[in-house]
Amino acid sequence: MTSDLPGNLGRVLQTAGVLLLWAAVLLRARPAARHPGQRGLWLAVACAAAALTLHLEAVSAYAAALTGSPRAVGLVKNQAGIVSAGAILHFAVHTTGSRRRTGAVLATTAAVMAALLALAGLGSPHAPGHGPYPTLACPRCAAYWLLLVTVHVAACALCARVCWRYGRSGPHRSVNLGLTLLGWGSASAGLYWLAHYYLMAVEGRPGGVLRLVLSVHAVLCAAVLMVPTALQLRRAAGHARTVWRIWPLWRDLVEAVPHVALAGTRCRPLTLLRPQLPWRQLAYRKVIEVRDALLVLSHYTDPAVSRAARAHVARWGIPAERADAHVTACVLRGARAARLAGADPDPAAEVLAADREACGLAAETAVLLRLTEAYLSPCARAFDPAGTSGTGPAGDAGRTGSAGAPPPRTRMSETPTGPDERRGTASPPLP
């Protein structure tokens, strides 16, 4: 029992790798049907999944018992392996732009399959349930296995070379990652077939170590197919993280300017656990609503508060690259407090913006995230806009250092709505 532990472990890992590979094939079937650019990879990996399934001893034994022809099962298994190697090599060559060579790959694959069938038709001996036996004692059997193993080794080596070469210099990150994984998967398959030269010399069978190598090949092929899904999950996680980080700023601004919210407010965990929109659109909506609230609160800014905020940030020793965001956060707290206190808006006030040079959704999102960090910082929390309103620069310097409490918040239902709020702001279409 203990002596067979490596073999049993190899079988378990090989089966797990094949199941993972089939899971990836089934999961990516629908996207591959919708996107022609993904069909070639999906077909190549599906062929690899079928070939690796036939390499499972339990599957081979069941197929042999079902058909009553172990030799036919072995031949089909080897033919499927050639198809899988040819399909993966065809995809690698096609992806790297060498489309003129794809015809040569297909023709070579067909020629090898025909040659193997011809050699098998000469009466090569076989072992029960496994087709022709890897031995050099019989010339016909040796020719069959030498051709099969050599083709696999050559195809895997060529595929690995092409994938590694173009995986480092391609223009698309996702394609580069897929080619790199495919190259390592081909290298592991090549190592498996390279060991068959030794097995032919000693008339042996693949052991637990080679089954482990084959399972690594299956896992890497599954990873290649799952690259688009992994990148989608990564982008979704980034959008969810944006929503989570910007939510405190969004909550305070929507409390002061409720009409900018396109939907009802919800608690922070519920916003992510049960989003009303996909995370990408939800993050976009939060950014737009924060920007619209900034435009409304711009009418409640006071030049005296702005000067006091800059002096306050300077006294806190905020680095220069973060000073503007902290000044804006302090001014924003003052504008929010003024609106909640019922102050009259000033249409001529300067527009409140976190960064006027931000261009594009990604840049504006990054700016608002920095503003959120500054808004929640101790420096901005310690700023007292009530102690600076209506004073000049000299008075600001002596009064803005105190960390007084902000004015009491009034209920949103009692907050007056001016004509500028009723107009609202238009949001650009989702890119």
Side-chain angles (χ1 to χ4, degrees), residues 198-211:
Y198 172 76
L199 295 178
M200 284 189 295
V202 300
E203 299 185 4
R205 293 287 184 188
V209 176
L210 289 184
R211 292 192 183 97

Side-chain angles (χ1 to χ4, degrees), residues 219-232:
V219 171
L220 289 175
C221 287
V224 172
L225 200 58
M226 294 301 295
V227 165
T229 300
L231 294 179
Q232 291 175 4

Side-chain angles (χ1 to χ4, degrees), residues 342-354:
D344 295 328
D346 181 10
E350 184 179 1
V351 175
L352 187 63

Side-chain angles (χ1 to χ4, degrees), residues 238 241-247 249 287 354 362-375:
R241 185 168 177 263
T242 296
V243 174
W244 180 265
R245 292 176 59 189
I246 208 173
W247 193 88
L249 175 63
V287 170
E364 189 168 2
T365 300
V367 169
L368 292 182
L369 288 176
R370 289 196 296 269
L371 177 61
T372 302
E373 182 181 358
Y375 183 83

Side-chain angles (χ1 to χ4, degrees), residues 393-406:
D396 298 338
R399 302 172 60 182
T400 56
S402 61

